[in-house]
Amino acid sequence: MAELATIARPYAEALFRVAKAGSLSAWSDLVSEMAQAAAHPDVKAIAQNPALTDAQIASTFASVLKTPLSVEAQNFISALVANGRLTLLPEIATQFHTLKNAQEGAADADITSAFELSDAQLKDVVATLEKKFGRKLTPTVKVDNALIGGVRVVVGDEVFDTSVRAKLQQLHVALAA
């Protein structure tokens, strides 16, 4: 996957430079939408169809998006299609969001909980985590009953695991040693 990341990086950086000149949050939403659309199997099939011209692929892709594309976004899509890189949009979006977070001094937090979190519980967890990690966090919450209890949080390359499953695994390792 490192190869995909290497190929996607210049596109993400170029898109980020354009987005900084405009509305970064609007571009962020658009990039997320484009990545989601590009990951769809039907869109991948269209992007790799040799019978279609680049203009047909670009216009078809633009038509599946809910958000109307600006001239800059249309040019970006055209460049991706011309270089056969439309299917890289999910990786481009990941790198774009990493650049956006770095600009804003924020980070994405993947929170996995053993149970559904209420809004108040999520706010408390995020507030505690923001103090721990020293930056603003954008949470993504998933539920995994296998955790038994507690939460598992991944922020960048840092993992904070307070789940019952993790504690049981630590206990197993301690007893087995």
Side-chain angles (χ1 to χ4, degrees):
M1 286 299 168
E3 183 176 303
L4 291 178
T6 302
I7 295 169
R9 185 174 299 112
Y11 293 102
E13 290 172 350
L15 187 59
F16 184 71
R17 283 192 301 272
V18 170
K20 280 197 315 188
S23 170
L24 196 56
S25 64
W27 273 99
S28 178
D29 294 341
L30 177 61
V31 169
S32 296
E33 183 183 349
M34 289 191 301
Q36 186 176 10
H40 193 278
D42 292 341
V43 173
K44 286 181 180 179
I46 289 170
Q48 296 169 347
N49 187 341
L52 298 174
T53 65
D54 289 350
Q56 289 173 321
I57 294 170
S59 67
T60 302
F61 182 76
S63 70
V64 302
L65 300 174
K66 294 176 190 170
T67 307
L69 296 179
S70 64
V71 174
E72 293 92 352
Q74 289 174 359
N75 290 342
F76 181 70
I77 295 301
S78 295
L80 289 175
V81 170
N83 292 310
R85 305 286 193 221
L86 189 63
T87 56
L88 281 180
L89 264 168
E91 179 61 29
I92 292 169
T94 300
Q95 292 189 24
F96 178 89
H97 291 296
T98 301
L99 291 168
K100 178 181 176 277
N101 284 340
Q103 169 87 16
E104 296 173 345
D108 291 328
D110 294 324
I111 301 171
T112 306
S113 174
F115 52 87
E116 193 71 36
L117 295 174
S118 69
D119 289 340
Q121 289 172 323
L122 180 60
K123 284 181 183 177
D124 288 343
V125 168
V126 170
T128 302
L129 292 171
E130 284 177 345
K131 288 178 187 172
K132 178 175 178 36
F133 289 102
R135 56 188 160 206
K136 182 177 176 355
L137 298 176
T138 306
T140 303
V141 181
K142 294 179 273 189
V143 175
D144 181 3
N145 295 330
L147 293 181
I148 305 169
V151 294
R152 182 176 191 271
V153 181
V154 179
V155 178
D157 60 353
E158 297 179 69
V159 178
F160 182 64
D161 196 344
T162 63
S163 68
V164 174
R165 182 177 68 185
K167 291 178 181 178
L168 288 173
Q169 288 173 341
Q170 291 171 350
L171 184 60
H172 173 73
V173 168
L175 291 174

